[in-house]
Amino acid sequence: HGRAQRAEILTHRLGKLVGLQGRKVGVLGGTTTEHALRGALRDLGVKAEIVTVGDHRAGLDLLTADRLDAYFADRAIIAAMLH
């Protein structure tokens, strides 16, 4: 990707994170994804409730049951689970 395209992707993703204000967000506990999510939300001043789960299936189950507004995980893992 070129610099302008990377900047556009980053801006799009940051906008999505800001949209999590006041929402419930799931993530696998004790992972680099959890650490990165907490740091990004803190840096943006977004106050979201982070719900840690013990495995990805539990996170996706909470999401599909509308008990989470979003679930964060490595894209490859989620793609493999959905196929």
Side-chain angles (χ1 to χ4, degrees), residues 52-69:
T52 57
V53 296
D55 61 67
H56 292 298
R57 177 57 52 205
L60 290 178
D61 288 347
L62 289 171
L63 184 64
T64 57
D66 291 328
R67 293 180 56 204
L68 291 176
D69 297 300

Side-chain angles (χ1 to χ4, degrees), residues 1-14:
H1 299 295
R3 183 184 303 187
Q5 188 175 13
R6 283 193 307 268
E8 183 178 330
I9 290 168
L10 179 60
T11 300
H12 179 72
R13 289 180 180 165
L14 290 176

Side-chain angles (χ1 to χ4, degrees), residues 14 17-18 35-47:
L14 290 176
L17 287 175
V18 170
H35 180 73
L37 175 62
R38 288 184 185 278
L41 294 176
R42 181 184 59 246
D43 291 349
L44 292 168
V46 174
K47 303 252 189 285

Side-chain angles (χ1 to χ4, degrees), residues 27-40 56 72-74 77:
V27 66
L28 185 64
T31 61
T32 55
T33 302
E34 178 190 6
H35 180 73
L37 175 62
R38 288 184 185 278
H56 292 298
F72 281 78
D74 189 78
I77 292 170

